[in-house]
Amino acid sequence: MQSHDEIEEQKNSIYLCAPVNALVEGIFEENIHLAEVLRHGDFGLGTFDDLDGEMLILDGHCYQINSAGKVTEVDGQVLTPFASVTFYKPENFYEINKETPFDDFLKQLNSFMPSPNLFYAVRIEGEFSHIKARSVPKQANYHPLTDIVNEQIVFDFDNICGTVAGFFTPEFMSSLSVHGLHLHFLSEDLQHGGHILGCVPRKVKIGVQTINRLELTLPMTKDYMGCDFHRDINRDLDKVEK
Ligand SMILES: [Zn+2]
């Protein structure tokens, strides 16, 4: 007989522990334990309470990349206001074997996804000529997310091996998750990483998983329940995440 976990795993869903619009409105503390997030997936990305760095989850291990660029593996006790995960089971694989500028790379990735109206998990592993990534310094709650762009720390890595984990989200779901491709990087030696602003792959393998089911938890915090979400957050989100 299958365990409850195995049945959940087979549902092939993306799980969001909160909608991203709360983050955009400056609610940086939802106090969701990472352990709860990891019950819903072993692969994904997100951030931490108080926006304390970038999160990347690979094979059930969660890494925090802080604004000093330091990578730490964290346990289930850490807290997050936003994370998105799935149980990674790619159905299609691709390879890129020549240096490919970022715009061309994005076009290729998009061509691996048959419709912009579904979710996709994407895992990219191999050698990159260049990675431009960022992390953010810890923030006070209620600080508008768009201001944080001015405080982000950008890292440039040349000739680096590592793994990119990310998701594609349909544009019409932009209040729930970052729409389009959202990618985070971790180097093979677990020393570097961040939210990807640009990259030039040289020799990489790409796995793509199509996902047609969404599981979303709405926070029950006072901040979230009292927040006014009428504002269109799309422009803010583009400024911060693209
Ligand atoms: Zn990110």
Side-chain angles (χ1 to χ4, degrees), residues 8-15 40-44 85-94 109 112-115 118-124 166-169 181 206-213:
E8 281 297 311
E9 197 176 319
Q10 283 171 0
K11 283 180 182 167
N12 189 31
S13 55
I14 189 166
Y15 171 74
H40 301 266
D42 59 5
F43 172 93
V85 292
T86 190
F87 286 102
Y88 182 63
K89 294 183 300 286
E91 68 267 6
N92 287 310
F93 296 91
Y94 307 90
L109 285 180
F112 302 154
M113 303 173 194
S115 163
L118 297 169
F119 289 104
Y120 301 88
V122 184
R123 179 172 174 152
I124 305 153
F167 291 103
F168 176 90
T169 299
L181 273 165
I206 301 160
V208 178
Q209 172 183 359
T210 305
I211 301 171
N212 68 346
R213 187 169 181 274

Side-chain angles (χ1 to χ4, degrees), residues 96-162:
I96 290 178
N97 290 310
K98 68 170 176 113
E99 197 169 274
T100 307
F102 190 49
D103 285 349
D104 294 343
F105 179 51
L106 289 181
K107 273 184 210 147
Q108 288 198 30
L109 285 180
N110 283 313
S111 75
F112 302 154
M113 303 173 194
S115 163
N117 303 330
L118 297 169
F119 289 104
Y120 301 88
V122 184
R123 179 172 174 152
I124 305 153
E125 276 180 283
E127 300 169 25
F128 297 82
S129 298
H130 190 74
I131 297 253
K132 190 186 191 71
R134 71 104 199 268
S135 187
V136 281
K138 196 169 176 175
Q139 300 292 321
N141 219 355
Y142 316 123
H143 187 166
L145 192 64
T146 47
D147 286 3
I148 289 153
V149 173
N150 306 322
E151 294 175 32
Q152 70 182 4
I153 313 294
V154 177
F155 312 112
D156 284 290
F157 308 119
D158 290 319
N159 303 318
I160 191 163
C161 290

